[in-house]
Amino acid sequence: MAHDEDPPAQPRVPVWLDTAAQLTWRALVVLTGVGALVLLVTRLYLVSLPVVIALILATIAVPPARRLERRGLPRLAAASIVVAGGGGALVGGVALLVPAFADQVGDLGPTVLDAFSRLLEWLEASPLGIDRAQLDGLLADALGNVGALSGELATRAGSIAIAVGEVLTALVLAVVLLFFFVKDGEDLVGWFIARTPARLRDDVRAAGARGWGALAGYVRGTAAIALIDAIGVGVGLLVVGVPLVLPLTVLVFVGGFVPVIGAFTSGLLATLVALAAGGLSSALAVLAVVLVVQQVEGNVLQPVIMRRAVALHPVVILGVLTAGTVVVGLAGAFLAVPLAATLAAVGNELRLRGELRRAGTAPGPRPVGGRGIDPVLVLPEALPVEPRRPRRRRRDGAADA
């Protein structure tokens, strides 16, 4: 007697639930790995932070050092001149600005508080009907908290001294690392590539060049934009006749390295100072200057200067800024966005290379991502290890190291 075939067994778990479960546990594994890496980096911040700072500074120092080499200087001399000259110029500039800055910055706090008080008076008299007594109470509580914090910091002088020592140690290590990155950058890259599997070397070369180019473009572009913003706002403050021009201009420049939040904070301070010094008309004039400068930055400077860097959406920037500040503190606010831009560039390069492979094309060792490629450090295509430059013969017959 023939029996009908048994129907196929139905899965007890729906397909969509099985797929969601697989994605979930894989995402958990990835997040656990990322969390462990972040924890390790933050615990070893005396090493990781100088490395990141040195890499960022190297994007500025490597091009002039290579130009000096092309003019005939040995690599050691070129790296020494660039690093020592750049550090000396920075220290000299700070030494020239500090006296004038210190004379004016002492008046910045009282001026801002006076402007804030005027703003509260205006809000009280406005149709909004805000209770001035409640605002004064909130302001007094905030100042009281600041005073309590200052007293607590004064009682923890030993911890502050240790923190200062750690900062100085990190700065010294960053300078030393910067010198070796400028002098032996290509050798370090070649050493790392030589220890990767042969099948991954092209990807490592291309991703490294792409990330380096994105970081270099971001750092140089951000510095140029911050300088232009500071000059524009400083000239506007001089024209309007606002006091404390130097500290406000310096704050605008420093704020330019913290996207979105830095420009807003420095512009708000400049407007408050103008309100306290010249009244509502001066404040409106300074506000107009700040808005014009920011519009020029967003619509002209960013597309032109930052075309070699990776463009990040403002939502991503705010998220990265918040995460960096929470995890690392003030240093995270400055370093989070360039690191995110670099990782985005590397990820984009790897994605494009994967698409080429799936299409049947074997990508070479050069980046295929286009923008963000720095011609200074594009690596040779054939050799797994970066070749050392041949020694140059001086006129006396000796060989340069």
Side-chain angles (χ1 to χ4, degrees), residues 71 164 168 237:
R71 292 178 178 271
V164 171
L168 294 177
L237 295 176

Side-chain angles (χ1 to χ4, degrees), residues 25-51:
W25 72 259
R26 287 171 179 164
L28 288 175
V29 171
V30 172
L31 290 176
T32 302
V34 172
L37 179 61
V38 171
L39 180 62
L40 179 63
V41 170
T42 53
R43 289 293 180 89
L44 300 177
Y45 66 94
L46 279 180
V47 176
S48 58
L49 191 60
V51 170

Side-chain angles (χ1 to χ4, degrees), residues 131-151:
D131 188 1
R132 175 66 185 273
Q134 293 181 356
L135 293 177
D136 287 339
L138 293 175
L139 180 60
D141 292 340
L143 293 177
N145 292 333
V146 172
L149 178 61
S150 301

Side-chain angles (χ1 to χ4, degrees), residues 11 18 50 52 59 80 87-88 139 174-175 239 258 282 302 334 346 353:
D18 182 63
V52 174
T59 62
S80 302
L139 180 60
V175 173
V239 172
V258 183
S282 296
Q302 287 281 353
F334 286 93
V346 171
R353 297 176 71 83

Side-chain angles (χ1 to χ4, degrees), residues 131-328:
D131 188 1
R132 175 66 185 273
Q134 293 181 356
L135 293 177
D136 287 339
L138 293 175
L139 180 60
D141 292 340
L143 293 177
N145 292 333
V146 172
L149 178 61
S150 301
E152 183 180 353
L153 292 177
T155 60
R156 301 174 65 178
S159 300
I160 295 175
I162 294 175
V164 171
E166 291 179 349
V167 170
L168 294 177
T169 302
L171 289 177
V172 172
L173 181 57
V175 173
V176 174
L177 290 174
L178 173 62
F179 171 77
F180 284 109
F181 287 164
V182 175
K183 175 179 175 290
D184 300 323
E186 288 83 352
D187 295 334
L188 293 172
V189 172
W191 181 89
F192 180 79
I193 291 177
R195 280 149 185 82
T196 58
R199 61 185 178 83
L200 299 178
R201 285 174 184 170
D202 284 351
D203 290 342
V204 171
R205 289 177 186 273
R210 181 74 172 92
W212 175 266
L215 181 62
Y218 185 91
V219 172
R220 298 171 196 167
T222 301
I225 292 173
L227 180 60
I228 295 172
D229 286 352
I231 293 174
V233 173
V235 171
L237 295 176
L238 286 175
V239 172
V240 177
V242 177
L244 308 176
V245 174
L246 180 60
L248 290 174
T249 303
V250 172
L251 288 175
V252 171
F253 176 75
V254 175
F257 289 90
V258 183
V260 183
I261 299 176
F264 172 78
T265 304
S266 58
L268 178 62
L269 287 176
T271 304
L272 289 176
V273 171
L275 178 63
L280 185 59
S281 59
S282 296
L284 292 176
V286 171
L287 180 61
V289 170
V290 171
L291 291 177
V292 168
V293 170
Q294 291 182 358
Q295 289 300 314
V296 172
E297 172 194 335
N299 298 315
V300 178
L301 298 180
Q302 287 281 353
V304 173
I305 297 179
M306 301 291 285
R307 65 183 182 272
R308 291 172 53 142
V310 176
L312 299 176
H313 193 276
V315 173
V316 177
I317 291 176
L318 289 175
V320 168
L321 277 175
T322 304
T325 305
V326 169
V327 174
V328 187

